Amino acid sequence: MQKTEGEESKAENEEVKQVTLMTSDGVKMKVEISIVYEMEIVRSFIEVNDADHSVPFPLPNVSSHTLDLIIELVKNEYDDEFMKTFSHDELKEVLVAANYLNMKTLLDFIATAIANLLEKKSVEFIRNFFNIVNDFTPEEEAEIRKTNEWVFQDLDED
Amino acid sequence: MAKSGEDRLSTLPIELIHRILSFLDAAAAVKTCILSKRWRSIWKCLPVLNLDDNYFQDTYAFDYFVDHILSLRDDSANLYELNVVCHEELEDGDVIDSIIDHVTQTPSILSHIQVLTIQAECVVQNLHNLSICQSLTTLELSEIAMEITPFNFPSLKCFYLFDCRFESGSETFFNAFEDCANLEQLFIDDCFFYGEIQNFQIVAPKLIELRISHWRVDEVFDSDCVIELFTPKLQLFRYHDSYMYEFSTEESLSFVEEVYIDMDEFSEDKDLFLRLTELFEIMESAKSVFLSTSIIQVLSMFSKELAEESSPFSRVETIKLIKDSSSSSSSSYAVPSTVMNYLFGKSTEFDIYEWKGTKSRSIQICKG
């Protein structure tokens, strides 16, 4: 639906087919309006203000590298294979940016991908992914396993 | 720059952690309590729970887990979506019934839950208790068996029934969805309605989409049961079966846009022919019509009767032929001229395509 509207405005007016976005590292990027329309934060601003598209819209929380990844993902209609090439930091960067830009489809897509990545992984892998420092003492950790035996019972047998 | 990025990523905001964990199996989500002190209680407040017996040795272990996760959750945290999957056949429906009890007895769930899906091969007793749940918009039931009195889910918009068995008693008139006044989407797939129903009414004033496939009323395949539609806002209708029920309606369905009728088998059966032409008349407003080639074959067997019938679709723009992958890949398909005249009679412009899955392409029509 958003795409259709993008295509319509593209057909109506050649000038509005791209919007310039200014990333946190100062890069100006021209982005197709159909992609920009998936970014609720930019879309609502453009619609309310009927803004001049040549003035860059600032995205102080999104780097040019992250924006590149997002544009590629949307262009490729959320291709799993492309996303599998992302590093853990890139996955998290895209997640945080999708949340900031309020891109619902991308947010769910990337959250699902991260959930799939973490499923059935070791505690150490997950700590590593989220940069978590284990602040439990071995005694505390044993205590948690004991009080939550209703979920850890099968794990102990592995 | 890179450093500030790392800092930002080292502590993801809690709503993003919730969102990731919402796509995980609940057992894996609970196990994150071991990660660190910050993570110790995150699972207790998750807005979405996916309970799946796949992660447990047996039903007993799953039961034990479900009991704990529900009772140890933070009662003040709202739950918006609950998905339950039991692959193992259950001896009884106690697990499911206790989950439903928990939903209806916990205020933070009862007044917020929007999506509930249950897949479990068992008899469910207390599904009707969900009628007090005013936030529920989507209910999906798979493989369950239950006695039904009319469903009473006033807030429900999407109702999906897959592979379910319903016992309807000795009622001959059955109005299953009358008390689901906000229903917009209804899918009934591979479901049996046991009993003595002669007249199955679907009363749904806001219904937009109705899909019926492999639906058996009264267990008898050649049942004379009539399906009556009181669905004035219906836009999409899909029917897929080897058998055709008789459909009827009192008021015309003037909002119908798309009709999809796929018959697995066909026979030279006058009743089938009459039921098909009656159904076409009910769906007379459709702009897109999808018909399986078996239906064209049935119609062509009654060309004498067809010649006397007036054409049903007054607004048709495209007709697509559904061909299953086993049928020949030939790009032309002979549609007898009587059938063509019948289907397109009132329309001057139309396109006809063959259609497989999501792909369609132009098809050469040979008048037979």
Side-chain angles (χ1 to χ4, degrees):
Chain A
M1 184 155 157
Q2 290 166 341
K3 274 197 175 151
T4 319
E5 283 182 52
E7 277 158 19
E8 271 172 22
S9 33
K10 196 157 64 177
E12 280 169 19
N13 185 349
E14 207 57 27
E15 286 168 30
V16 290
K17 72 179 179 187
Q18 288 188 323
V19 175
T20 309
L21 302 176
M22 169 89 96
T23 60
S24 61
D25 45 346
V27 179
K28 288 179 194 168
M29 293 174 71
K30 283 190 174 177
V31 184
E32 274 179 43
I33 200 154
S34 62
I35 296 174
V36 172
Y37 271 158
E38 292 206 24
M39 305 170 181
E40 209 44 58
I41 188 174
V42 189
R43 181 194 178 100
S44 55
F45 180 83
I46 292 174
E47 284 178 349
V48 170
N49 296 292
D50 193 22
D52 176 359
H53 299 307
S54 60
V55 177
F57 185 91
L59 299 175
N61 293 326
V62 185
S63 71
S64 54
H65 178 66
T66 307
L67 190 58
D68 272 334
L69 295 176
I70 289 175
I71 291 166
E72 280 308 302
L73 274 174
V74 176
K75 266 191 190 163
N76 292 313
E77 295 173 333
Y78 305 106
D79 178 19
D80 266 329
E81 291 306 312
F82 173 58
M83 199 200 45
K84 279 178 188 157
T85 66
F86 288 18
S87 71
H88 291 175
D89 276 350
E90 284 173 334
L91 280 173
K92 284 182 283 182
E93 285 285 8
V94 171
L95 178 79
V96 171
N99 189 45
Y100 166 71
L101 296 167
N102 201 355
M103 302 176 76
K104 174 114 189 23
T105 312
L106 178 63
L107 194 53
D108 280 347
F109 175 74
I110 209 88
T112 309
I114 294 175
N116 290 340
L117 177 75
L118 300 179
E119 191 119 55
K120 293 174 185 166
K121 289 296 197 309
S122 69
V123 173
E124 267 327 299
F125 183 95
I126 299 173
R127 279 195 187 121
N128 195 22
F129 181 87
F130 287 109
N131 301 327
I132 296 168
V133 177
N134 180 12
D135 51 5
F136 289 127
T137 63
E139 293 75 27
E140 283 171 329
E141 196 171 318
E143 175 63 25
I144 292 169
R145 282 183 189 272
K146 203 177 154 203
T147 51
N148 293 310
E149 51 74 37
W150 50 277
V151 67
F152 285 106
Q153 52 183 354
D154 57 317
L155 193 78
D156 293 338
E157 287 168 23
D158 289 343
Chain B
M1 190 58 66
K3 189 154 193 307
S4 77
E6 269 169 35
D7 286 348
R8 198 151 49 93
L9 296 183
S10 66
T11 44
L12 287 176
I14 194 74
E15 73 262 24
L16 287 181
I17 291 173
H18 278 168
R19 201 176 270 261
I20 294 169
L21 298 187
S22 293
F23 291 102
L24 269 185
D25 173 75
V30 174
K31 283 175 186 169
T32 61
C33 68
I34 205 82
L35 296 173
S36 73
K37 285 177 181 162
R38 182 193 180 212
W39 283 72
R40 189 170 184 166
S41 299
I42 286 179
W43 67 270
K44 292 183 180 174
C45 299
L46 291 181
V48 177
L49 279 186
N50 306 302
L51 307 174
D52 190 329
D53 71 347
N54 222 358
Y55 291 79
F56 298 89
Q57 292 165 349
D58 50 35
T59 312
Y60 175 77
F62 178 60
D63 210 349
Y64 190 66
F65 165 75
V66 169
D67 207 33
H68 278 82
I69 191 172
L70 292 179
S71 57
L72 294 172
R73 251 184 77 81
D74 181 346
D75 267 354
S76 65
N78 299 336
L79 186 69
Y80 296 97
E81 183 174 336
L82 177 60
N83 304 302
V84 185
V85 182
C86 295
H87 300 89
E88 292 285 317
E89 189 179 342
L90 300 172
E91 272 176 40
D92 56 48
D94 289 357
V95 186
I96 303 301
D97 284 331
S98 72
I99 290 171
I100 293 171
D101 281 343
H102 195 87
V103 167
T104 55
Q105 288 161 14
T106 312
S108 60
I109 304 178
L110 178 66
S111 47
H112 294 94
I113 190 163
Q114 294 168 359
V115 178
L116 176 62
T117 70
I118 297 172
Q119 179 190 333
E121 200 176 335
C122 66
V123 177
V124 178
Q125 306 282 352
N126 61 3
L127 191 86
H128 288 289
N129 293 352
L130 288 171
S131 63
I132 60 165
C133 185
Q134 296 191 356
S135 52
L136 194 67
T137 54
T138 302
L139 179 60
E140 180 180 319
L141 304 172
S142 305
E143 297 172 19
I144 66 153
M146 62 182 283
E147 278 183 32
I148 48 168
T149 51
F151 293 108
N152 182 359
F153 304 128
S155 58
L156 210 59
K157 289 185 175 171
C158 306
F159 200 0
Y160 309 125
L161 300 168
F162 302 119
D163 230 343
C164 293
R165 306 284 174 269
F166 299 108
E167 181 62 64
S168 58
S170 58
E171 301 281 329
T172 51
F173 275 80
F174 192 65
N175 187 344
F177 307 102
E178 186 181 31
D179 298 319
C180 306
N182 285 300
L183 219 53
E184 292 174 5
Q185 226 181 14
L186 176 62
F187 294 1
I188 304 174
D189 181 31
D190 271 316
C191 291
F192 283 77
F193 291 81
Y194 297 106
E196 290 163 30
I197 303 170
Q198 292 295 309
N199 192 307
F200 194 106
Q201 297 175 318
I202 298 179
V203 178
K206 294 185 181 172
L207 196 70
I208 294 169
E209 183 172 5
L210 175 61
R211 292 189 188 191
I212 295 172
S213 55
H214 305 107
W215 172 7
R216 292 292 170 263
V217 177
D218 202 17
E219 205 176 353
V220 187
F221 286 12
D222 59 354
S223 160
D224 287 328
C225 176
V226 177
I227 299 174
E228 266 191 82
L229 302 180
F230 297 87
T231 54
K233 296 281 165 65
L234 194 71
Q235 292 177 18
L236 305 164
F237 176 80
R238 212 175 235 263
Y239 188 91
H240 181 193
D241 209 324
S242 51
Y243 182 81
M244 176 58 69
Y245 282 96
E246 182 183 340
F247 281 84
S248 82
T249 180
E250 273 181 14
E251 282 180 49
S252 72
L253 307 179
S254 51
F255 289 95
V256 171
E257 292 282 323
E258 187 181 300
V259 175
Y260 180 109
I261 307 169
D262 188 356
M263 299 279 297
D264 296 327
E265 294 163 23
F266 68 96
S267 55
E268 190 169 349
D269 174 354
K270 185 73 185 281
D271 275 347
L272 172 58
F273 170 75
L274 291 174
R275 284 169 184 187
L276 273 173
T277 50
E278 247 169 81
L279 181 57
F280 291 163
E281 266 159 45
I282 289 170
M283 302 296 162
E284 101 27 80
S285 318
K287 287 182 185 161
S288 302
V289 179
F290 294 71
L291 299 174
S292 60
T293 48
S294 55
I295 291 173
I296 304 293
Q297 276 162 308
V298 174
L299 293 177
S300 58
M301 286 170 188
F302 295 91
S303 42
K304 208 179 111 214
E305 287 84 349
L306 263 195
E308 288 161 22
E309 290 273 341
S310 59
S311 182
F313 302 115
S314 56
R315 301 196 301 165
V316 67
E317 288 167 7
T318 52
I319 292 196
K320 296 190 182 188
L321 296 182
I322 308 159
K323 290 174 82 178
D324 65 55
S325 44
S326 61
S327 64
S328 84
S329 58
S330 153
S331 63
S332 71
Y333 182 81
V335 180
S337 56
T338 45
V339 177
M340 291 282 281
N341 292 341
Y342 167 71
L343 289 176
F344 296 116
K346 293 177 198 165
S347 332
T348 49
E349 280 184 55
F350 58 84
D351 295 304
I352 186 159
Y353 300 95
E354 73 172 345
W355 197 78
K356 285 177 188 167
T358 53
K359 286 184 186 162
S360 77
R361 61 190 166 107
S362 252
I363 174 169
Q364 190 191 347
I365 303 302
C366 318
K367 292 201 172 185

